[in-house]
């Protein structure tokens, strides 16, 4: 099974699963003004090295774009992923980019 990313609204986190189960998640907080703050990302150590963190990051950022949400990358993993993929920097509001070194 290809890894799947779903929005677990009840727990305010996007989850990535494989045929072996839950592999990780990215916790978020919805903010006023149409913004989503990513606060914590975890990939279970049993799933590390499989590129799942990158798949999760891409999926959550693509979802934010589809929903028209500005991204506040408080989570170091999401922030670092955006820095390595400049095509996503535009999701971070221009007045917040310096705060996140983007």
């Amino acid at each position: 099974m290809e890894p799947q990313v779903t929005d677990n609204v009840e727990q305010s986190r996007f989850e990535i699963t494989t045929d072996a189960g839950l592999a990780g998640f990215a916790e978020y907080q919805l903010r006023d003004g149409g913004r989503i703050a990513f606060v914590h990302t975890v990939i279970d150590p049993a799933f590390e090295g499989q590129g799942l963190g990158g798949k999760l990051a891409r999926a959550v950022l693509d979802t934010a774009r589809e929903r028209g949400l500005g991204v506040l990358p408080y989570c170091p993993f999401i922030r670092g992923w955006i820095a390595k993929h400049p095509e996503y920097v535009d999701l971070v509001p221009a007045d917040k980019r310096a705060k996140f070194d983007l």
Side-chain angles (χ1 to χ4, degrees):
M1 170 176 115
E2 184 69 24
Q4 300 292 315
V5 176
T6 56
D7 185 359
N8 182 336
V9 176
E10 294 79 26
Q11 292 192 24
S12 296
R13 68 186 198 179
F14 286 92
E15 299 174 340
I16 187 165
T17 56
T18 70
D19 54 357
L22 180 66
F25 57 86
E27 293 179 346
Y28 65 83
Q29 298 170 354
L30 292 176
R31 302 279 175 92
D32 291 335
R35 295 180 177 179
I36 186 168
F38 289 101
V39 295
H40 187 58
T41 302
V42 173
I43 296 294
D44 185 300
F47 294 92
E48 288 180 355
Q50 299 178 35
L52 297 177
K55 288 181 186 202
L56 177 60
R58 183 178 302 279
V60 304
L61 294 171
D62 286 345
T63 299
R65 187 181 304 282
E66 290 166 10
R67 294 179 183 173
L69 298 171
V71 171
L72 303 174
Y74 291 102
C75 167
F77 180 80
I78 298 294
R79 184 171 53 249
W81 200 89
I82 292 171
K84 292 177 186 171
H85 298 86
E87 65 272 24
Y88 289 93
V89 170
D90 67 302
L91 290 173
V92 180
D95 65 332
K96 301 291 184 190
R97 291 178 194 160
K99 174 181 179 131
F100 297 111
D101 294 323
L102 296 170

